[in-house]
Amino acid sequence: EGPEAYRAALAFGNTTVIDMFGQYSAFTHKTSLRGLATREADEAAPLVSLLITAPGGHGTQDPQVVVSTVTSSQECQVAVSAQLEGGASFVKLIYDAGESWSPKAVPTLSKEVLAGCIEAAHARGVLAIVHALTLREAREAIEAGADGLAHGIVDTLPDPAFAQLVAARGAFIIPTLAVTFGAARQHNDAVILADPGLEPYLSRSSLDNLKASSPDGFFLGVKPSVTQETVRQLKAAHVPILAGSDCSNLQTAVGATLHQELELLVTAGLTPIEALTAATSLPSARFRMPDRGRIAPGLRADLLLVRGDPTTDIRMTRDIVAVWKLGRKLDRDAYRARVAAARQGGGKH
């Protein structure tokens, strides 16, 4: 997919992608991460990380994916340095034994190694984001010093002390509700496929991915209602909640799923303005991108114009009039025509 993913993201109004290492950042790693933010104007500007995980851990399943595997704090120092020198902007750590989604245990970092990797990232002045799914793993990641959690808690409803801990540590969370619903086979892909503002811009691969289901025997411990209630608790504790779609998981579509994520965040208790903030100024602040995320003199002219008022109805973000990146208007009609031609011809664009 590579650059096509960033083109799709921009077509749906995502002017910057914080790529936490899917197949897309694997592609960019092979073609050098440096300079990605200044690529062609028809691609979203990516901020990219690579993964650090345990040998045989989550993230190593795909042989095409570039990951770092570590077993000691000393190896953490080497892995973090290598990734940053390669162009990564922050570090993503996998702390996930597969308890909620895998039929069998998955190797993961020890608590000591997790803490060592977080310390190594902080020593280099960058964020350490931790992929964690269970309450135990999320709590231990925050206690180890994680700046943010990638994914919401899916297994056990936290007690109020968890939200208080996250707030006290100044951490944030990216709940990825759409992925949680999809993994539990509760994701209504018709919400995207039936939307005339979204469906015509979906590539064939995105269409196929939206219609796919998780394999039998997997994700049996994933409970979307737990993730939703956790979001409510975290909001009440004033924990920053950021919007993320976690493409390219099953039942997601690059760009389009973020619009559904905004609606799910509102369903989970955020106001429409808070959901919009979760996709704009909050990510820019937390991921240290002060030149974007707001409309103000001197900032990047990355803009999304929609019909309607998304501050009262979040679904209005899908009725896109125009998208600009660095002040240049994207030709969405041409993009839509290319997608239509590729779909008719069986292509992935």
Side-chain angles (χ1 to χ4, degrees):
E1 296 271 350
E4 291 303 329
Y6 298 128
R7 293 189 184 108
L10 187 63
F12 285 103
N14 304 172
T15 56
T16 295
V17 174
I18 300 174
D19 187 342
M20 293 202 176
F21 196 80
Q23 62 198 61
Y24 314 121
S25 53
F27 176 92
T28 59
H29 181 72
K30 295 173 185 175
T31 58
S32 177
L33 297 179
R34 295 192 182 280
L36 283 173
T38 58
R39 290 175 67 134
E40 303 92 279
D42 64 347
E43 296 181 20
L47 186 74
V48 180
S49 73
L50 302 178
L51 292 185
I52 296 179
T53 188
H58 181 54
T60 64
Q61 305 97 314
D62 187 342
Q64 296 182 345
V65 169
V66 181
V67 299
S68 297
T69 58
V70 298
T71 59
S72 69
S73 297
Q74 291 75 18
E75 291 175 353
C76 288
Q77 298 283 348
V78 174
V80 167
S81 295
Q83 291 194 7
L84 297 180
E85 289 164 7
S89 301
F90 60 99
V91 172
K92 184 181 178 185
L93 306 164
I94 301 297
Y95 192 55
D96 180 0
E99 296 172 13
S100 62
W101 59 270
S102 177
K104 59 182 180 179
V106 176
T108 193
L109 303 174
S110 68
K111 287 194 291 184
E112 292 74 22
V113 173
L114 174 69
C117 288
I118 293 173
E119 182 180 354
H122 291 168
R124 293 292 301 268
V126 299
L127 298 176
I129 312 302
V130 178
H131 162 114
L133 296 176
T134 68
L135 176 58
R136 176 187 61 79
E137 291 163 342
R139 190 188 303 275
E140 291 174 355
I142 294 298
E143 290 173 343
D147 298 290
L149 296 175
H151 307 300
I153 292 167
V154 303
D155 67 327
T156 304
L157 187 64
D159 56 54
F162 174 74
Q164 294 166 8
L165 171 67
V166 180
R169 295 298 180 93
F172 61 84
I173 188 168
I174 310 168
T176 60
L177 288 161
V179 166
T180 302
F181 276 86
R185 299 185 178 183
Q186 297 181 33
H187 182 265
N188 183 13
D189 51 76
V191 171
I192 293 177
L193 297 176
D195 193 317
L198 300 179
E199 194 277 341
Y201 298 87
L202 296 171
S203 68
R204 170 54 56 190
S205 59
S206 288
L207 289 171
D208 292 343
N209 207 46
L210 278 169
K211 297 173 183 176
S213 295
S214 57
D216 291 339
F218 284 80
F219 302 104
L220 298 180
V222 173
K223 304 170 185 175
S225 60
V226 168
T227 311
Q228 285 184 309
E229 181 57 33
T230 301
V231 169
R232 294 186 183 97
Q233 291 185 8
L234 292 169
K235 175 190 171 178
H238 305 291
V239 171
I241 297 169
L242 279 58
S245 58
D246 198 26
C247 297
S248 59
N249 276 287
L250 295 177
Q251 297 197 342
T252 65
V254 175
T257 293
L258 185 64
H259 292 277
Q260 185 171 24
E261 184 72 16
L262 296 180
E263 183 178 3
L264 289 170
L265 287 172
V266 171
T267 301
L270 272 65
T271 66
I273 291 178
E274 288 170 338
L276 292 169
T277 302
T280 53
S281 59
L282 259 182
S284 68
R286 287 290 169 157
F287 282 88
R288 304 169 183 172
M289 297 181 288
D291 62 340
R292 68 197 77 188
R294 297 177 296 115
I295 300 174
L299 302 191
R300 285 170 58 112
D302 292 354
L303 303 166
L304 170 64
L305 177 65
V306 302
R307 293 182 184 86
D309 183 2
T311 67
T312 58
D313 183 353
I314 196 63
R315 292 172 297 179
M316 293 298 98
T317 64
R318 306 173 190 183
D319 195 353
I320 297 173
V321 175
V323 179
W324 289 266
K325 177 188 170 186
L326 293 170
R328 177 179 171 183
K329 185 178 179 180
L330 175 68
D331 190 341
R332 293 185 80 238
D333 291 337
Y335 180 83
R336 176 175 174 168
R338 291 198 303 270
V339 168
R343 280 163 54 164
Q344 290 178 355
K348 292 185 177 182
H349 188 95

